[in-house]
């Protein structure tokens, strides 16, 4: 379990993380969602003791990271797949990590096998593709068989096969009862990966909820209606639903009433309908709607 | 011990330390052989002369030591290290220790290699190491290399960038300490407190006059004897390392 309480980090006058509190439960994949620059990486670095918060603290299974005795046995982290020496072999990279936490070299070969890098273990990590580097990073995170795992944007730059592989991998890890926190700036990705969501923008908490609930709340269902008697229909609907006009083709867009009720109302009043179609707001739209106030950098 | 083993694996699993060590030894011993071959009645060969070029090896080893720290920052492996070993002081002290021990070994190889090749080239010249001054001059090189390596690791940790750290070390050791002597009167008063002047005093005090390297020809009025100078040099190296450790502990990785 990861607990953050009032985490705050300034860089000069810029507030990167602002009084952020949340908990990450064991046995589930928790998505850490926010636009670029929202403070996801900074938060993860504070959880891992790399950056010192100006205020607040983060605990892992009740302890600050720096107080863990064999940290790799408790927490596995992949913050940046490029954190390897390019002229050091994959196996040597894992071996010094293993040595530092009293992990056997046999385990090094096990995790290499697990991520499918056994055949290239002797090769220098600098020659690895991004996908291979990500796998090496995951091997490093799994080295100590930790109960808590943190991944920062693990699917960035991966091909579809790699994305599916990582997704299934994280589900398996959570299924084994581990705590898995994975960050992303893509809601569509998180919708398929995470059961819970922590959503932040500009360093502030926007929501902590289950993914299903978040999508339900964030995406609004509406019904498109076209009718030659649009004005009459609008009057009928007035009061029981909100009606707006589609700017493009002049159809009515009805919020807060399901298609069946609209159809029955129209039939009862002799209104002819040419179209009656339910639409669902896209995830990305909803996400942008929620975080648009808090996007740090956006195009004009 | 675990942390020492970790740093040993890190250092020896890339090629650049091997290159630096080979270069330090080959350059110094090679130059010593050239010097020995060209000595004669006008420039007689003695034990001190065989050691003329050891400072060259020291500078190469300092580059290696600085790289051991800066490449970790360059490639982000320092963060991986701090994740695996949250006690930053322990991890960095282990690194400095491994690098310093290695530098000490290279220093001895450089010193006795230079002396040995000179003896091979001029077998008829008496190059026996008899006096304590001569022993300090040759065998003391390892100690000087060790402390110089500690200092270079400290600079690497503080600067975090290879180009900056190497430039500072090279310019300081090869130029600044010598050029300060050009300031009339004041220059020598400053020089007698500069660390590498003391490293040199440790190896050459009470011995044959120095013909090359830092302090050559100058007669500095050192505040300490040879062992005092070594202690002073060591205090500066360790002191700088302590500063680097405090800074690394407080800084975001």
């Amino acid at each position: 379990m990861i607990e953050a309480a009032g985490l705050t980090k300034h860089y000069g006058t810029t507030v990167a993380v602002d009084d952020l509190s949340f908990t990450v439960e064991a046995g589930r994949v928790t998505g850490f969602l926010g636009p670029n620059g929202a403070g996801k990486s900074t938060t993860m670095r504070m959880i891992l003791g790399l950056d010192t918060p100006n205020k607040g603290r983060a605990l892992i299974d009740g302890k600050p990271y720096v107080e863990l005795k064999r940290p790799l046995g408790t927490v596995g982290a992949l913050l940046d797949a490029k954190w390897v020496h390019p002229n050091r072999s994959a196996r040597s990279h894992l071996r010094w990590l293993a040595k530092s936490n009293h992990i056997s070299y046999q385990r090094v070969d096990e995790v290499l096998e697990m991520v499918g890098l056994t055949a290239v273990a002797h090769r220098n990590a600098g020659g690895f593709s991004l996908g291979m580097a990500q796998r090496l990073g995951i091997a490093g995170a799994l080295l100590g068989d930790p109960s808590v795992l943190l991944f920062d944007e693990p699917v960035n730059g991966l091909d579809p096969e790699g994305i599916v592989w990582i997704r299934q991998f994280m589900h398996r890890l959570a299924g084994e009862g581990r705590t898995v926190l994975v960050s992303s700036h893509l809601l569509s990705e998180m919708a398929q990966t995470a059961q819970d969501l922590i959503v932040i923008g500009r360093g502030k908490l926007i929501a902590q909820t289950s993914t299903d609930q978040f999508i339900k709340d964030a995406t609004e269902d509406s019904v498109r209606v076209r009718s030659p008697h649009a004005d009459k229909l609008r009057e009928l609907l007035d009061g029981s639903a909100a009606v707006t006009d589609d700017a493009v083709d002049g159809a009515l867009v009805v919020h807060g009433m399901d298609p069946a009720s609209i159809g029955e109302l129209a039939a009862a009043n002799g209104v002819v309908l040419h179209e009656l179609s339910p639409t669902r707001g896209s995830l990305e739209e909803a996400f942008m709607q929620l975080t648009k106030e808090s996007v740090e950098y956006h195009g004009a | 011990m675990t942390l020492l083993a970790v740093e040993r694996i890190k250092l020896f699993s890339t090629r650049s330390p091997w290159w630096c060590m080979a270069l330090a030894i080959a350059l110094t011993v090679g130059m010593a052989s050239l010097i020995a071959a060209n000595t004669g009645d006008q420039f007689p060969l003695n034990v001190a002369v065989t050691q003329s070029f050891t400072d060259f090896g020291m500078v190469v080893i300092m580059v290696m030591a600085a790289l051991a720290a800066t490449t970790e920052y360059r490639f982000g492996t320092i963060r991986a290290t701090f994740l695996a070993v949250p006690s930053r002081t322990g991890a960095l002290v282990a690194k400095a220790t491994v690098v310093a021990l290695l530098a000490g070994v290279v220093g001895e190889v450089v010193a006795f290699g230079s002396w040995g090749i000179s003896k091979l080239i001029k077998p008829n010249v008496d190059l026996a190491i008899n006096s304590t001054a001569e022993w300090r001059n040759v065998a003391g090189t390892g100690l000087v290399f060790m402390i110089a390596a500690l200092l270079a690791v400290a600079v690497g940790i503080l600067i975090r960038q290879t180009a900056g750290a190497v430039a500072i070390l090279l310019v300081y050791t090869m130029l600044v300490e010598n050029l300060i002597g050009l300031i009339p009167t004041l220059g020598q008063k400053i020089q007698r407190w500069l660390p590498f002047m003391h490293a040199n005093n440790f190896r050459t005090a009470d011995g044959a006059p120095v013909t090359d390297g830092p302090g050559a020809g100058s007669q500095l009025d050192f505040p300490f004897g040879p062992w005092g100078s070594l202690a002073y040099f060591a205090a500066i190296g360790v002191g700088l390392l302590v500063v680097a450790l405090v800074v690394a502990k407080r800084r975001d990785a």
Side-chain angles (χ1 to χ4, degrees):
Chain A
M1 188 164 104
I2 305 170
E3 295 159 89
L7 277 182
T8 304
K9 182 75 182 174
H10 315 278
Y11 293 109
T13 53
T14 315
V15 181
V17 176
D18 192 1
D19 194 22
L20 190 58
S21 302
F22 57 81
T23 55
V24 184
E25 301 291 340
R28 302 171 71 84
V29 177
T30 303
F32 193 27
L33 189 63
N36 288 329
K40 301 186 296 291
S41 297
T42 306
T43 303
M44 286 186 148
R45 292 155 62 98
M46 287 193 284
I47 293 171
L48 295 167
L50 289 176
D51 288 8
T52 317
N54 294 95
K55 259 189 266 157
R57 61 179 188 166
L59 300 178
I60 291 167
D61 291 341
K63 268 188 194 169
Y65 188 88
V66 293
E67 285 176 21
L68 297 173
K69 280 282 165 275
R70 278 176 64 249
L72 299 188
T74 309
V75 184
L78 169 58
L79 291 200
D80 189 333
K82 289 191 290 292
W83 288 356
V84 292
H85 194 298
N87 297 332
R88 189 178 284 135
S89 74
R91 184 177 278 116
S92 297
H93 172 71
L94 293 175
R95 281 193 170 182
W96 75 256
L97 278 174
K99 192 80 187 175
S100 68
N101 277 245
H102 307 285
I103 298 162
S104 73
Y105 284 173
Q106 190 194 333
R107 175 67 183 166
V108 168
D109 293 330
E110 270 173 37
V111 293
L112 280 168
E113 185 71 46
M114 225 182 273
V115 299
L117 287 181
T118 305
V120 294
H122 63 283
R123 274 175 42 189
N124 285 351
F128 280 12
S129 68
L130 186 56
M132 286 157 84
Q134 293 280 25
R135 282 167 190 257
L136 178 58
I138 289 175
L142 294 175
L143 205 51
D145 197 19
S147 56
V148 177
L149 287 137
L150 285 89
F151 299 106
D152 195 8
E153 304 266 2
V155 300
N156 253 12
L158 287 191
D159 53 20
E161 193 205 342
I163 293 175
V164 171
W165 179 78
I166 287 198
R167 201 181 285 155
Q168 290 172 344
F169 208 84
M170 286 189 288
H171 282 151
R172 201 166 86 213
L173 292 169
E176 290 164 358
R178 300 175 212 259
T179 308
V180 181
L181 180 64
V182 51
S183 80
S184 176
H185 60 277
L186 298 173
L187 177 59
S188 53
E189 171 55 35
M190 285 296 96
Q192 296 177 70
T193 309
Q195 286 128 357
D196 288 333
L197 281 183
I198 294 162
V199 186
I200 67 168
R202 287 220 177 166
K204 283 197 171 74
L205 187 71
I206 293 178
Q208 169 159 28
T209 169
S210 77
T211 308
D212 290 343
Q213 189 63 41
F214 180 77
I215 292 170
K216 217 166 115 196
D217 291 351
T219 59
E220 199 186 10
D221 292 342
S222 58
V223 183
R224 277 172 52 85
V225 187
R226 286 200 301 139
S227 163
H229 312 121
D231 290 338
K232 189 173 178 194
L233 185 61
R234 195 193 301 270
E235 274 171 38
L236 290 169
L237 289 168
D238 197 29
S240 50
V243 181
T244 54
D245 293 301
D246 187 315
V248 181
D249 61 2
L252 301 178
V253 181
V254 183
H255 304 268
M257 198 183 239
D258 60 276
S261 311
I262 298 170
E264 279 162 22
L265 186 70
N269 292 280
V271 172
V272 176
L273 296 183
H274 290 168
E275 182 188 348
L276 180 66
S277 56
T279 57
R280 195 166 165 76
S282 87
L283 286 177
E284 296 307 332
E285 255 170 47
F287 180 46
M288 278 163 67
Q289 192 70 28
L290 257 173
T291 56
K292 108 182 135 190
E293 301 300 309
S294 54
V295 171
E296 178 134 28
Y297 313 101
H298 42 80
Chain B
M1 284 318 282
T2 307
L3 294 181
L4 292 181
V6 169
E7 293 301 326
R8 194 198 66 224
I9 297 171
K10 274 202 231 170
L11 198 62
F12 288 125
S13 57
T14 62
R15 275 197 299 268
S16 80
W18 294 107
W19 280 110
C20 283
M21 285 188 289
L23 197 68
I25 295 167
L27 273 177
T28 316
V29 176
M31 289 308 289
S33 68
L34 276 179
I35 290 169
N38 289 291
T39 50
D41 292 338
Q42 274 196 309
F43 300 98
L45 183 62
N46 59 36
V47 172
V49 169
T50 67
Q51 302 298 305
S52 303
F53 247 82
T54 46
D55 280 330
F56 211 92
M58 181 185 77
V59 170
V60 177
I61 287 301
M62 286 175 76
V63 170
M64 180 199 79
L67 279 172
T70 56
T71 54
E72 291 244 33
Y73 283 98
R74 163 75 178 78
F75 297 120
T77 49
I78 195 74
R79 294 178 202 110
T81 302
F82 291 161
L83 286 183
V85 186
S87 151
R88 298 183 183 184
T89 307
L92 293 172
V93 165
K95 174 182 293 299
T97 307
V98 169
V99 173
L101 287 175
L102 195 67
V105 171
V106 173
E108 295 303 323
V109 173
V110 158
F112 282 97
S114 298
W115 172 79
I117 201 146
S118 304
K119 208 170 160 58
L120 275 176
I121 289 169
K122 290 282 166 78
N124 297 325
V125 178
D126 175 24
L127 286 180
I129 304 172
N130 297 317
S131 65
T132 52
E134 283 171 339
W135 273 111
R136 239 184 16 248
N137 197 334
V138 181
T141 305
L143 290 171
V144 170
F145 273 40
M146 278 177 88
I147 297 164
L150 283 184
L151 198 141
V153 169
V155 170
I157 294 171
L158 285 169
I159 307 293
R160 293 191 280 188
Q161 284 170 359
T162 302
V166 169
I168 285 173
L169 289 170
L170 291 185
V171 169
Y172 182 78
T173 51
M174 304 191 83
L175 295 174
V176 174
E177 288 212 352
N178 287 316
L179 292 181
I180 278 180
L182 295 179
I183 306 168
T185 329
L186 180 67
Q188 296 213 338
K189 282 183 186 158
I190 298 173
Q191 266 183 332
R192 61 197 281 266
W193 291 104
L194 295 180
F196 288 90
M197 292 290 161
H198 280 272
N200 223 49
N201 185 47
F202 163 66
R203 291 180 51 217
T204 58
D206 312 326
V210 187
T211 56
D212 204 352
S218 69
Q219 293 301 317
L220 286 179
D221 175 24
F222 281 105
F224 313 116
W227 292 101
S229 275
L230 181 75
Y232 179 74
F233 184 46
I236 286 180
V238 172
L240 201 59
L241 187 63
V242 169
V243 171
L245 294 176
V246 171
V247 169
K249 202 177 164 70
R250 302 179 67 162
R251 208 156 46 181
D252 286 339

